[in-house]
Amino acid sequence: AQRVTQPEKLLSVFKGAPVELKCNYSYSGSPELFWYVQYSRQRLQLLLRHISRESIKGFTADLNKGETSFHLKKPFAQEEDSAMYYCALGGYQKVTFGTGTKLQVIP
Amino acid sequence: DGGITQSPKYLFRKEGQNVTLSCEQNLNHDAMYWYRQDPGQGLRLIYYSQIVNDFQKGDIAEGYSVSREKKESFPLTVTSAQKNPTAFYLCASSIAGSPRGELFFGEGSRLTVL
């Protein structure tokens, strides 16, 4: 079975503060991890994927196989980062999502 | 303009009625998915299809049915057997064999049972 856990439903931070959205996964095979973002009134879209090791909009995420985690980080939050964030696990043929974390950046 | 189109955006249904949600893509993607999005529960997989004329049940398939007669179309029927059908439904597609999880989503369909 594959499972994704996002422990925080809501994360509120002040503008300029660091952000860390937590994600843990359970999967017996070799996982492919992703972060998706849903801005207000927009469709869900891919933010970044672990295999690319890229930084998108200042966000990074490192896959830690030992801790089975894929936390999303950004050093300085901006107001436009306010959105719903979903961690996702690509397993055999299907993709499993976490319950999501709403990030609220306070001006 | 390439992408995924879901229709209708809003749908109201009386209890006991079946309803079909449309999902069409012109991205030439092999794989298509249906998710249900509820507050606090994230996205839960209903059905998915990796190829035409083949589909598999996801985690919450009971009360739903699908078909995949054409590559570009993956309609979802919410049957009267679905006990709690009021929800936001998302359709997605991906290139089969691509990094698993690179999904492209539609704008969603909100179903309300009266």
Side-chain angles (χ1 to χ4, degrees):
Chain A
Q2 55 191 71
R3 183 178 298 169
V4 176
T5 303
Q6 293 180 252
E8 303 140 328
K9 286 189 176 180
L10 172 66
L11 182 65
S12 296
V13 301
F14 285 101
K15 178 182 175 181
V19 174
E20 183 178 46
L21 302 174
K22 291 183 168 52
C23 173
N24 289 89
Y25 68 90
S26 173
Y27 185 60
S28 57
S30 181
E32 294 189 30
L33 276 298
F34 302 79
W35 277 98
Y36 281 80
V37 61
Q38 190 170 29
Y39 300 104
S40 180
R41 295 190 177 85
Q42 293 187 27
R43 64 181 71 194
L44 195 61
Q45 58 187 291
L46 179 67
L47 179 62
L48 55 79
R49 52 188 187 244
H50 90 271
I51 58 171
S52 299
R53 301 187 65 81
E54 57 200 346
S55 174
I56 303 293
K57 299 183 179 182
F59 284 98
T60 58
D62 291 319
L63 178 61
N64 186 323
K65 290 187 177 181
E67 296 182 357
T68 60
S69 68
F70 188 57
H71 303 327
L72 183 68
K73 300 178 183 179
K74 185 170 182 177
F76 307 104
Q78 299 175 341
E79 291 181 61
E80 54 265 33
D81 296 330
S82 294
M84 196 75 184
Y85 291 80
Y86 292 95
C87 183
L89 167 64
Y92 176 67
Q93 289 195 336
K94 67 177 185 177
V95 181
T96 299
F97 286 79
T99 51
T101 298
K102 183 176 182 178
L103 175 63
Q104 183 180 56
V105 180
I106 304 165
Chain B
D1 189 21
I4 298 180
T5 301
Q6 290 186 240
S7 63
K9 283 190 176 181
Y10 301 94
L11 187 62
F12 297 88
R13 183 194 98 176
K14 292 182 179 179
E15 282 193 29
Q17 291 180 333
N18 292 355
V19 62
T20 297
L21 307 180
S22 169
C23 178
E24 303 279 331
Q25 55 99 357
N26 59 5
L27 300 169
N28 200 32
H29 286 171
D30 292 301
M32 296 187 75
Y33 310 79
W34 274 105
Y35 288 89
R36 171 178 170 144
Q37 188 178 28
D38 296 285
Q41 298 195 56
L43 278 72
R44 292 181 291 167
L45 183 62
I46 304 173
Y47 268 97
Y48 59 102
S49 168
Q50 294 289 322
I51 196 170
V52 174
N53 292 323
D54 189 39
F55 49 83
Q56 286 78 41
K57 292 182 179 180
D59 302 315
I60 56 165
E62 185 176 350
Y64 299 97
S65 66
V66 294
S67 64
R68 187 83 189 278
E69 297 177 0
K70 298 185 296 182
K71 185 176 184 178
E72 59 270 21
S73 179
F74 191 41
L76 173 74
T77 296
V78 184
T79 75
S80 56
Q82 169 50 231
K83 294 179 182 178
N84 186 20
T86 294
F88 190 62
Y89 292 89
L90 284 170
C91 179
S93 70
S94 70
I95 302 172
S98 74
R100 297 156 290 160
E102 284 194 80
L103 303 182
F104 292 80
F105 282 89
E107 292 185 310
S109 294
R110 185 169 297 280
L111 171 64
T112 302
V113 174
L114 304 173

